[in-house]
Amino acid sequence: MLDYHIGAASISRSLASYAVALLELFPAFKGGSIPLWMGSGQELFGGFLSLNIVAPILLALLTLVLCQGVRESSAVNSVMTATKVVIVLVVICAGAFDIDVANWSPFAPNGFKAVLTGATVVFFSYVGFDAVANSAEESKNPQRDLPIGIMGSLLVCISLYVGVCLVLTGMVPFSLLSEDAPLAQAFSSKGMKFVSILISIGAVAGLTTTLLVGLYVQSRLYLGLGRDGLLPSFFSRVHPTLHTPLHSQIWCGIVAAVLAGIFNVHSLSHILSVGTLTGYSVVAACVVALRLNDKKERESSNRWTSSWHEGVICLVLIACSGFGAGVFYRFGASVIFLLLAVGVAVSASAVLHYRRAYAQSLGSGFCCPGVPIVPCVCIFFNIFLFAQLHYEAWIRFVVVSVLATAVYALYGQYHADESTLVYQRAPESESDSE
């Protein structure tokens, strides 16, 4: 949830900057007439805080739209999404005619290690794809629609992202690209200022849809946690007329607005990739843990642990191996240490697979294929990328984890309602599943 709060605040700050940049295209707003506290932010206390008024206002407006119901918010989202997709296609087509293939040589000028670092930093952009899963209750056929929605949106976004990157780096050498507005700068340098205007409009539309999805998902997470008793029950209340979790939605808007109003994008986004990488790793581990089969009647008296505990130990070993491999690779350690870490992860995955500690999940819904191999690979590479982050991100992750654990230890475990659980463990014996 913290990822979504920080992400919403960070995106709203970027949206405010792009909205101001769009206004500055008009003569009445040129020449720096718009104050900093409406655009990039007015720094206070030596840059520790950055005051911005527009970002909280934008968050309040979008929260109001979401409070009206899914139908109204989805209509706004559909219009914005169609707008940004059309503009991205225009950008790709317009820029394709000005590509100089010489700019792609060498294709990875800073080496593969820089590619990994870049992938780690921008990994938080994948937060939006799991948002589809959080809308299961408002889907007509979630077993069919959710996998199609997640995989379909992922493939479309990958195609568009790769297309834009190829056009951008093909038009202008990567070393000459602007950090603040690379797309607009690239097309302006080629004399296509009209495309720069479209890019600003597309940026506003794209950030708006991302912000809508982020705020929407946050409220549904609070709804689920409030329903399970892990958070106070008022988060689970649904408005009788609007049919939306009004309290959760307003709370999400308030928290994001406060963060967006006083912190800049750099401070907000520093921890995002940490939470995303670890969050997806935990989900992958849960997929395996929920299917681990604890066949007690088949255990001999000399077994020192059950199949379920054995599986959890294997998952921990895979995560530790991924982190170790990432650290060894980052600091240029001997390849022997790297291979050793990979070998431990492969051995732990093999134990999960060949000792048959895994059982098919119950229910007729969508099941993750290739369990336990696919989740194990996911855990290893996510934690491997986690190790590429700056050590300050590790410290922030530890602090946030301690706070989250404290909330559960002091409140959640005493108020959890087990009757609301929707996930089921694998059967303890084969006869249980018949």
Side-chain angles (χ1 to χ4, degrees), residues 3 36 50 58 74 124 136 152 180 191 211 214-215 333 350 354 360 425:
D3 288 348
L36 290 176
S50 179
L58 293 173
S74 62
F124 70 88
D180 296 328
L211 198 53
L215 290 171
Y354 289 109
Q360 290 291 338
R425 283 282 311 277

Side-chain angles (χ1 to χ4, degrees), residues 78-91:
S78 297
V79 172
M80 291 292 187
T81 300
T83 301
K84 71 177 181 181
V85 170
V86 169
I87 291 177
V88 168
L89 292 175
V90 170
V91 168

Side-chain angles (χ1 to χ4, degrees), residues 303-323:
R303 283 289 301 274
W304 63 276
T305 183
S306 67
S307 297
W308 193 85
H309 290 102
E310 180 183 89
V312 173
I313 292 173
C314 290
L315 292 173
V316 173
L317 285 175
I318 293 170
C320 294
S321 299
F323 185 78

Side-chain angles (χ1 to χ4, degrees), residues 297-377:
E297 73 279 6
R298 295 187 178 182
E299 295 175 10
S300 58
S301 58
N302 59 357
R303 283 289 301 274
W304 63 276
T305 183
S306 67
S307 297
W308 193 85
H309 290 102
E310 180 183 89
V312 173
I313 292 173
C314 290
L315 292 173
V316 173
L317 285 175
I318 293 170
C320 294
S321 299
F323 185 78
V327 171
F328 294 147
Y329 179 82
R330 176 178 179 178
F331 294 102
S334 173
V335 69
I336 297 177
F337 295 103
L338 185 61
L339 293 175
L340 181 62
V342 173
V344 172
V346 171
S347 300
S349 301
V351 169
L352 280 175
H353 181 71
Y354 289 109
R355 288 185 67 87
R356 305 297 181 186
Y358 157 75
Q360 290 291 338
S361 62
L362 299 176
S364 59
F366 174 78
C367 296
C368 176
V371 177
I373 302 303
V374 172
C376 290
V377 172

Side-chain angles (χ1 to χ4, degrees), residues 203-388:
V204 171
L207 291 172
T208 300
T209 57
T210 305
L211 198 53
L212 272 172
V213 171
L215 290 171
Y216 169 84
V217 172
Q218 287 178 65
S219 65
R220 271 55 183 181
L221 289 174
Y222 275 102
L223 171 66
L225 292 175
R227 185 180 295 166
D228 292 341
L230 298 175
L231 289 177
S233 59
F234 74 88
F235 285 117
S236 63
R237 296 174 187 170
V238 177
H239 194 275
T241 304
L242 300 175
H243 304 292
T244 57
L246 206 60
H247 298 88
S248 298
Q249 196 68 72
I250 294 174
W251 168 257
C252 293
I254 292 174
V255 174
V258 171
L259 293 174
I262 59 177
F263 293 107
N264 58 34
V265 174
H266 177 74
S267 300
L268 291 170
S269 60
H270 199 73
I271 197 176
L272 276 177
S273 291
V274 181
T276 307
L277 287 165
T278 52
Y280 283 0
S281 299
V282 170
V283 171
C286 289
V287 169
V288 178
L290 288 172
R291 300 194 195 180
L292 289 173
N293 194 350
D294 204 1
K295 300 177 180 178
K296 298 180 180 179
E297 73 279 6
R298 295 187 178 182
E299 295 175 10
S300 58
S301 58
N302 59 357
R303 283 289 301 274
W304 63 276
T305 183
S306 67
S307 297
W308 193 85
H309 290 102
E310 180 183 89
V312 173
I313 292 173
C314 290
L315 292 173
V316 173
L317 285 175
I318 293 170
C320 294
S321 299
F323 185 78
V327 171
F328 294 147
Y329 179 82
R330 176 178 179 178
F331 294 102
S334 173
V335 69
I336 297 177
F337 295 103
L338 185 61
L339 293 175
L340 181 62
V342 173
V344 172
V346 171
S347 300
S349 301
V351 169
L352 280 175
H353 181 71
Y354 289 109
R355 288 185 67 87
R356 305 297 181 186
Y358 157 75
Q360 290 291 338
S361 62
L362 299 176
S364 59
F366 174 78
C367 296
C368 176
V371 177
I373 302 303
V374 172
C376 290
V377 172
C378 174
I379 294 171
F380 181 85
F381 281 104
N382 282 347
I383 303 302
F384 180 90
L385 291 176
F386 175 88
Q388 311 305 312

